[in-house]
Amino acid sequence: MADWTDRAACRDEDPRLFFPADGEREGQRKWREVKAKRVCAPCPVQGDCLEYALARNEREGVWGGLNPDQRAREADRRAALPPPPKPALVVEKTCTRCGVVQPVAAFTKDAKQRDGLNPWCRGCTAEASRRRRAAEQAVA
């Protein structure tokens, strides 16, 4: 099973607290769910538990602090949401030194930058390197 279960607040609880017993009456079910949700409330992995139950369409028990009816409503709510926007494909970038918009291929990679590319184009970077080497040679 997933490693989040090792950190779950319910790991040492009786599983019967979270799942209905055969012949369970309405009042018993409600009280059992209240007690189960009290265990879930402070749980550090409550979100992981809920995602697990929603992904597997769990139809019984309390998962992530929600009973089956609440999980069904949450699944319906999520299904009604628009899909997340796809990240835009970067094809051009503006050099912060010369200000020219150039294709991405004109920039070297730099993991420190948000878009993964150096802020200066290859031409500006090469020119700055040449000037730096010339200044170092003049001093030496």
Side-chain angles (χ1 to χ4, degrees):
M1 208 173 237
D3 64 335
W4 60 265
T5 59
D6 296 334
R7 299 185 326 268
C10 63
R11 71 184 171 280
D12 296 326
E13 297 287 334
D14 185 350
R16 292 180 290 184
L17 178 62
F18 299 91
F19 295 96
D22 291 337
E24 183 178 60
R25 289 179 282 175
E26 182 72 15
Q28 292 172 321
R29 179 189 60 79
K30 286 182 179 180
W31 182 239
R32 180 186 49 77
E33 286 181 358
V34 166
K35 291 194 288 187
K37 289 177 181 182
R38 285 182 186 160
V39 174
C40 293
C43 183
V45 294
Q46 184 179 11
D48 295 323
C49 181
L50 179 59
E51 294 303 319
Y52 176 88
L54 291 172
R56 285 154 186 81
N57 197 21
E58 290 286 347
R59 296 186 186 269
E60 296 291 333
V62 173
W63 291 85
L66 300 182
N67 67 28
D69 294 336
Q70 292 167 326
R71 285 195 308 276
R73 285 194 298 274
E74 176 64 12
D76 291 344
R77 184 191 70 79
R78 290 182 183 194
L81 292 175
K86 294 180 182 177
L89 181 62
V90 178
V91 293
E92 293 182 327
K93 181 174 173 149
T94 304
C95 176
T96 58
R97 185 165 190 235
C98 66
V100 176
V101 176
Q102 300 185 37
V104 169
F107 297 84
T108 57
K109 292 184 178 180
D110 184 353
K112 295 177 186 175
Q113 296 297 315
R114 178 176 290 197
D115 63 0
L117 301 170
N118 276 320
W120 291 3
C121 65
R122 291 178 192 268
C124 289
T125 304
E127 179 186 334
S129 293
R130 281 192 296 272
R131 287 185 180 179
R132 186 179 27 85
R133 279 194 301 270
E136 288 172 355
Q137 288 175 354
V139 172

